[in-house]
Amino acid sequence: MSDLQEIRDAVRQFIAERDWQQFQDPKSLLLALVGEVGELAELVQWLPAEEARSRIAKEPLHTRVAEEMADVLIYLVGMADQCNIDLHEAALAKVERNSRKYPVSEFLGEAPHRG
């Protein structure tokens, strides 16, 4: 069992115990996910970029960032569950596609550009 499946199963149990299945549709989960990403962004929004990593490593910001990232992951896993998407498999496939799209020989040290 992957870690994502373990999270999915824990969330399923949490939802079932509270009879919240009626609130678990892809649209509602996506909107909740967007809200949680916004809460995560608020934590670092005004930090200078060169200080963000060191500030996140310290309390109390470290715990707050971890909590918001957990919320993002929980809603993302829930949405994948509702859409019948194997998130683990989809992520690995995406990394493989990106490896072909952005070969090291062309993108070493270079940010990818949209075009």
Side-chain angles (χ1 to χ4, degrees), residues 32-49:
L33 173 63
V34 168
E36 294 300 338
V37 169
E39 290 180 20
L40 176 59
E42 282 180 13
L43 295 175
V44 299
Q45 181 175 1
W46 302 114
L47 293 181

Side-chain angles (χ1 to χ4, degrees), residues 1-104:
M1 173 184 286
S2 77
D3 291 343
L4 292 176
Q5 290 171 320
E6 186 176 357
I7 294 167
R8 180 204 61 203
D9 292 348
V11 172
R12 281 181 179 175
Q13 181 177 345
F14 177 89
I15 289 165
E17 289 171 349
R18 288 154 183 81
D19 191 27
W20 286 355
Q21 292 88 342
Q22 69 268 23
F23 309 118
Q24 305 302 304
D25 61 89
K27 181 199 72 91
S28 296
L29 292 170
L30 176 59
L31 292 174
L33 173 63
V34 168
E36 294 300 338
V37 169
E39 290 180 20
L40 176 59
E42 282 180 13
L43 295 175
V44 299
Q45 181 175 1
W46 302 114
L47 293 181
E50 61 278 359
E51 295 177 30
R53 184 175 289 126
S54 63
R55 289 215 188 156
I56 292 170
K58 299 174 192 164
E59 294 300 343
L61 190 55
H62 185 267
T63 295
R64 292 288 298 123
V65 167
E67 289 170 348
E68 295 305 334
M69 289 177 74
D71 286 341
V72 168
L73 180 61
I74 288 166
Y75 281 118
L76 184 61
V77 168
M79 188 173 172
D81 190 25
Q82 290 297 310
C83 297
N84 197 31
I85 292 171
D86 181 331
L87 204 49
H88 177 261
E89 182 179 298
L92 292 177
K94 182 65 175 181
V95 170
E96 178 59 34
R97 280 193 303 280
N98 285 345
S99 294
R100 290 190 304 273
K101 185 175 180 180
Y102 304 107
V104 173

